[in-house]
Amino acid sequence: MDLKTLTQKIQKQNYFASGHRTCAGCAIPIIVRTVLAASKDPVIVVSATGCLQITSSIYPQTSWNVPWMHSAFENASATISGIERAYYFLKKKNKIKTKIKFVVFGGDGGTYDIGLQSLSGALERGHNFVYVCYDNEAYMNTGNQRSSATPYGATTTTTPNGKKVFKKDLIKIVAAHNIPYAAQSAVHHWSDLYQKAEKAFQIDGPAVLNVFSPCQLNWKFPSDSAIQISKMAVETCFWPLYEIENKKYKLNYQPKQKLPVEEFLKLQKRFSHLFKPENESIIKIIQDKIDEEWKTLLK
């Protein structure tokens, strides 16, 4: 599907309406609309507590034009599991004939950390749903506290001098559950995200999408730069685009010229301290880790 046709399809689909309260330049609405447009069937959505939930459902308004439920940080995957099982029970009783898809949206706090146990349980049980993590690499809704998705060296309110450990690898964790499909995408690459979401909805069983979601407010960059930053994350291999289908890895994009990680880091004030002379060694540590992971992925 060409970009023009995809854009028209996303704009025509009105599952997630305008008028929400996300920050100017937020990547999350783009991710939500792109993912939901990829389903050929009606969808039921569960949102874990987080930026998306609080900005899309402030009483008495809502941006959701689909059946939607807010669940706590720790149990969004358990909630969708119950809804999915109820659907199959009613379908077995011939009380529902419509084909319905199920999707969870959660941030990194509700996915990498607080919600990991319920996600792991739902994946192990084999529930038929799509889990989408919009990864903005910290607890943004509550004031930019570090999460296990926060990258090495990034400042947050709880790591003011930069985080001292590398971020958790979510895709490796979910892939270890032997699920049929897991993939990493980024907000700037609409066609990649759409195709992966489309595949995730078609698969019988659980699927996980981890989507790079720059945060204008707490990464501290201009509100019109989210797409540029997302692109630089991929061009520097800080955030590779790949998928794992039935245990087989596939690299979806390889930069023509792999750029140094400084090109990504310098666009955000959360990394500005790294460019002081005394912190040059930290940038080298980050670059070495990226090079190591990229080499492994290419294999």
Side-chain angles (χ1 to χ4, degrees):
M1 184 182 298
D2 63 85
L3 190 58
K4 182 179 179 181
T5 304
L6 176 57
T7 303
Q8 291 173 342
K9 182 172 184 178
I10 293 172
Q11 290 174 339
K12 184 178 179 181
Q13 175 266 106
N14 197 33
Y15 288 161
F16 187 75
S18 59
H20 48 76
R21 293 168 171 84
T22 59
C23 300
C26 180
I28 297 172
I30 302 173
I31 294 169
V32 172
R33 289 196 180 102
T34 304
V35 169
L36 294 182
S39 176
K40 296 178 174 61
D41 304 299
V43 295
I44 293 176
V45 176
V46 170
S47 291
T49 297
C51 292
L52 174 61
Q53 172 266 318
I54 198 67
T55 58
S56 66
S57 62
I58 297 177
Y59 183 83
Q61 284 86 32
T62 179
S63 288
W64 296 97
N65 287 322
V66 295
W68 175 87
M69 179 178 286
H70 164 223
S71 199
F73 262 125
E74 66 271 16
N75 65 339
S77 298
T79 300
I80 204 73
S81 298
I83 296 171
E84 181 248 16
R85 284 295 91 194
Y87 161 75
Y88 280 109
F89 177 80
L90 292 171
K91 196 174 182 182
K92 189 176 180 180
K93 295 284 189 179
N94 291 320
K95 293 185 177 182
I96 293 180
K97 299 187 184 298
T98 305
K99 189 175 182 181
I100 299 173
K101 298 295 183 180
F102 306 90
V103 59
V104 173
F105 290 101
D108 50 283
T111 307
Y112 285 71
D113 294 344
I114 304 174
L116 185 62
Q117 45 77 31
S118 68
L119 175 59
S120 176
L123 299 181
E124 185 271 334
R125 292 189 301 271
H127 291 281
N128 192 1
F129 75 111
V130 178
Y131 191 102
V132 181
C133 174
Y134 53 92
D135 189 352
N136 49 30
E137 299 191 322
Y139 288 87
M140 300 310 186
N141 184 48
T142 53
N144 191 27
Q145 298 85 13
R146 65 90 90 186
S147 75
S148 62
T150 303
Y152 186 92
T155 58
T156 67
T157 54
T158 50
T159 58
N161 297 315
K163 190 175 174 225
K164 305 302 182 185
V165 294
F166 286 97
K167 72 180 290 177
K168 186 184 291 182
D169 194 327
L170 179 68
I171 294 297
K172 286 182 181 177
I173 292 170
V174 299
H177 291 73
N178 298 314
I179 62 175
Y181 190 71
Q184 197 158 273
S185 189
V187 66
H188 77 280
H189 205 320
W190 291 5
S191 58
D192 178 80
L193 176 56
Y194 178 87
Q195 289 166 10
K196 287 172 178 174
E198 188 175 45
K199 186 177 289 187
F201 279 120
Q202 291 172 354
I203 281 173
D204 185 18
V208 176
L209 303 177
N210 196 20
V211 190
F212 192 69
S213 181
C215 176
Q216 174 269 335
L217 181 64
N218 290 311
W219 294 12
K220 299 179 175 61
F221 59 80
S223 60
D224 62 352
S225 298
I227 298 302
Q228 179 191 5
I229 289 172
S230 177
K231 184 176 181 181
M232 291 309 300
V234 173
E235 295 295 329
T236 58
C237 299
F238 176 90
W239 188 268
L241 303 183
Y242 69 100
E243 59 189 337
I244 309 171
E245 186 173 2
N246 296 319
K247 302 182 182 180
K248 293 183 179 179
Y249 278 73
K250 180 182 179 182
L251 187 65
N252 306 114
Y253 178 80
Q254 187 166 352
K256 292 181 180 179
Q257 181 181 359
K258 181 171 171 286
L259 298 177
V261 72
E262 289 99 318
E263 297 300 312
F264 167 71
L265 301 177
K266 70 183 182 182
L267 299 174
Q268 310 150 68
K269 287 187 179 179
R270 64 176 178 156
F271 293 115
S272 60
H273 62 290
L274 299 183
F275 292 90
K276 296 178 180 179
E278 63 269 25
N279 290 330
E280 289 180 356
S281 60
I282 299 177
I283 295 180
K284 185 179 185 307
I285 291 171
I286 296 171
Q287 185 66 68
D288 289 346
K289 179 69 170 177
I290 289 172
D291 293 344
E292 177 188 350
E293 293 293 332
W294 180 245
K295 185 178 179 181
T296 300
L297 186 59
L298 288 178
K299 288 181 180 179

